[in-house]
Amino acid sequence: MSKNQNKTGSYSFFNCIEKNFDKAARFISIEKGLLEQIKACNSVYRMHFPVKIGKEIKVIEAYRVQHSHHKLPCKGGIRYSMKVNQDEIMTLAALMTYKCAIVDVPFGGAKGGIKIDPQTISSENIEKITRRYTSELIKKNFIGPGIDVPAPDYGTGEREMSWIFDTFLSLRSGDIDALACVTGKPVSQGGVRGRKEATGLGVFYGIRELCHVKEEMSSVGLDVGLVGKKIIIQGLGNVGYHAASFFHESGAIIIALAEREGAIYNEKGLNVSKVFLHLKNNGSILNFPEAKNIENTEKALELECDILIPAALENVIHKNNANHIKAKIIGEAANGPITPEADEILYKKGVIIVPDIYLNAGGVTVSYFEWLKNLSHVRYGRMEKKFRENVNAEFLKVIETVCKKKISIEEKKMILRGPREIDLVRSGLEDTMINGFHKIRDLKKSLKIENMRTAAFVLSINKIIDSYEKLGIFP
Ligand code: GLU
């Protein structure tokens, strides 16, 4: 057993990322010390604070980790889960650093976590815990528009981000940029349209781009395009649900959906919005009328399919089940869903793995747009929408005169339309995901790198090195 392995023989989560980093470092010639600095976690804030729940005082364990300060602010979500621990949050913070660099989002990586099960705690108590956590971050200068900007993650959403913002504002009243202290807020509280579905939509754009490349599809014996591809999605949280909806709308066939309590399967395809309604009404996806139940949810990962999308937690594909996976493509919507041992096994089987540090970067990309919106204090499209519509109307008049033809009202509506915030956000996201994909693929080809994950790490590390070199090291 190597020194990096724990008692159960498996690597710690942080060591998994170090392993991926080291594989990429073989393609980079730079002083070892700089690579060590990039790999290390800069600041770890581990806290315990008391919260009164009912008549009892409960001690809450929580973290905020800033992995890298090569760009500021630091950025990354906050998760609420009983699995939260220091190793996990450090790893997720590191992934944020690499993710931001790949998609040219100028932030260092960070992550936070509170060890609670939000499903068993009342909303009043979650609010108390969230506000107390925020005030702890403020006390230690671990939050702020130019310091560290949290966002939603597993177990948190718009509601928690609102409480974080409100707590920050009440302790920093008069700070004109206070809105930019957290992203993923509701639109009415300074959020940006399109943030909620951004990670799922980014996953969709990334996989769609891969499916359009003939060479890649032939390497796994599939046809070009998404239409008709059989997809399995594990995890119906915010990311999994939206990814599933976009794939479904594009003509792909969602054959199975897996949740904590079990999975459902229909070879002919599941109607995602109907499943979601069923989940809402029954509290479980099981017993959906148009599907078969699979009691052991892990078995759903092993079904015959073209694309498998793990969209929940880390380490779900490991050395014991990797050999049973039949998917030809795995899209990592979750952070770290495949262990390094499983990665090796799948690579040997010829599976294309689209790595998390690229594929789920849509969330932080749109968080960046939200942060910019908050700092500029104006909604996207507000200044140019009408102007564009006027210019388009002039163009149309000229075209009608030159062509001596009247354009129909329906066509006019489409052509004249100026950009709304949602249009700009989505096109910015689409462009980011398409560019990111081709940069990774080009690098993979030019350096003859064995897989997309290593190529993504090389791309990311090179960008971080560039920042450090331009910044210099403070004496
Ligand atoms: N929690 C998300 C992630 O892991 C989003 C982070 C953010 O928007 O800052 O990428």
Side-chain angles (χ1 to χ4, degrees), residues 29 45 77-78 89 159 172 175 201 203 225 227 256 268 305 308 366 371 391 398 410 462 467 471 473:
S29 51
Y45 177 19
I78 294 180
I89 302 300
R159 180 183 71 163
R172 289 267 197 278
D175 181 345
L201 183 56
V203 168
V227 177
K268 298 211 167 71
C305 69
L308 171 64
V366 176
W371 182 76
V391 171
V398 176
E410 280 315 302
N462 275 335
S467 296
L471 216 59
I473 304 281

Side-chain angles (χ1 to χ4, degrees), residues 12-18 41 65 67 85-98 111 314 335-336:
S12 87
F13 196 18
F14 196 71
N15 295 142
C16 296
I17 303 305
E18 289 190 308
C41 257
V65 173
H67 172 259
N85 61 64
Q86 186 171 324
D87 175 65
E88 181 196 45
I89 302 300
M90 281 168 62
T91 313
L92 297 169
L95 287 174
M96 286 307 303
T97 296
Y98 306 123
K111 202 72 163 204
E314 54 265 20
N335 290 307

Side-chain angles (χ1 to χ4, degrees), residues 355-471:
D356 48 5
I357 55 170
Y358 156 69
L359 195 65
N360 70 30
V364 77
T365 301
V366 176
S367 274
Y368 173 44
F369 300 158
E370 180 174 334
W371 182 76
L372 291 173
K373 172 184 181 180
N374 296 153
L375 293 178
S376 59
H377 301 269
V378 63
R379 183 185 75 231
Y380 287 105
R382 176 159 181 189
M383 305 294 276
E384 70 264 41
K385 185 169 180 288
K386 192 67 198 154
F387 174 77
R388 281 264 143 253
E389 285 172 0
N390 292 342
V391 171
N392 291 348
E394 291 303 321
F395 263 134
L396 214 57
K397 259 195 223 156
V398 176
I399 292 170
E400 281 183 332
T401 318
V402 172
C403 302
K404 297 191 178 63
K405 192 177 174 250
K406 284 271 168 227
I407 287 167
S408 74
I409 307 260
E410 280 315 302
E411 283 169 331
K412 256 190 194 161
K413 263 196 202 155
M414 206 180 67
I415 299 167
L416 293 183
R417 199 165 62 93
R420 298 165 303 166
E421 182 166 84
I422 185 76
D423 303 319
L424 294 166
V425 165
R426 287 204 174 167
S427 68
L429 174 62
E430 185 174 8
D431 190 48
T432 303
M433 294 310 293
I434 293 174
N435 272 332
F437 176 82
H438 289 286
K439 277 192 199 150
I440 296 169
R441 190 164 179 270
D442 292 349
L443 195 71
K444 177 175 175 284
K445 284 181 103 177
S446 66
L447 296 184
K448 298 194 172 46
I449 300 174
E450 61 272 25
N451 58 42
M452 262 188 97
R453 189 190 310 284
T454 306
F457 266 93
V458 175
L459 178 68
S460 171
I461 297 167
N462 275 335
K463 289 192 189 181
I464 301 167
I465 289 174
D466 188 54
S467 296
Y468 269 110
E469 282 180 341
K470 304 245 159 76
L471 216 59

